[in-house]
Amino acid sequence: MPDTFVTERLRATRMAETHGPFVAAMHADVALMATMGGTRDAAASRRYLLQNTEHWSRHGFGMYVLNDRRSGALVGRAGLKRIASEAGAHDGAFAAEIAYAFVPSAWGLGYAGEIARALVAMGFGLLELPGMMATVLASNGASRRVLEKAGLRCAGQAPSATGEPKLRYELDRAQWQAGQPVATGSDRCGMPGGAAPER
């Protein structure tokens, strides 16, 4: 994948060591990290950064840091992560996980949907992945809607380290190529969606 790309309102830049302060600030934000297992200290932030820069070196794709194109402000991070040994992949078919997170000041602006759609298109169009997946808290209705609008479908519950229910969303290459419609707002997992801010 390219080191940089743009969407309508966002500029994505390959995550690098220079982004350490921003990553640490995101990890220290209580509201932001509430749906991601809680805040992380400086050491954990350094490990996260190292893991993601190494991921880029090994696989040629990974996480990006996101700026608002108009203001230049740092607003979040997003990207694709290879699933280790395809462990947990549905029928061994899914090769990458979609991940994104935004600072609270950027919630509710539609950025998550914008970057999720771009990542889906790049994952299938550039990387020719067989499929993509994402996990989300069952209570995070906004993030679930983001994934549904990007074409992913709820495939059931996912493992949760905290005990709070999580859901798994999936989209395979054949479905993407066929442009199969996905009904948004419906609940294919039989669990209620909440009103959490869009991430």
Side-chain angles (χ1 to χ4, degrees), residues 103-138:
V103 298
S105 61
W107 292 354
L109 300 178
Y111 287 146
E114 189 171 318
I115 199 65
R117 291 189 296 272
L119 291 170
V120 166
M122 294 174 75
F124 287 128
L126 294 181
L127 298 178
E128 299 184 346
L129 295 170
M132 283 181 271
M133 55 79 65
T135 59
V136 62
L137 290 179

Side-chain angles (χ1 to χ4, degrees), residues 60-152:
F61 66 92
M63 294 295 291
Y64 293 87
V65 168
L66 308 174
N67 294 77
D68 179 281
R69 291 178 63 186
R70 185 174 63 177
S71 69
L74 288 162
V75 295
R77 64 178 187 241
L80 298 176
K81 298 182 178 183
R82 182 172 293 279
I83 299 171
S85 302
E86 296 186 349
H90 179 64
D91 294 332
F94 290 85
E97 178 179 7
I98 300 170
Y100 53 84
F102 288 85
V103 298
S105 61
W107 292 354
L109 300 178
Y111 287 146
E114 189 171 318
I115 199 65
R117 291 189 296 272
L119 291 170
V120 166
M122 294 174 75
F124 287 128
L126 294 181
L127 298 178
E128 299 184 346
L129 295 170
M132 283 181 271
M133 55 79 65
T135 59
V136 62
L137 290 179
S139 60
N140 193 340
S143 195
R144 291 173 60 183
R145 288 189 291 274
V146 165
L147 296 173
E148 291 178 353
K149 289 180 180 179
L152 284 79

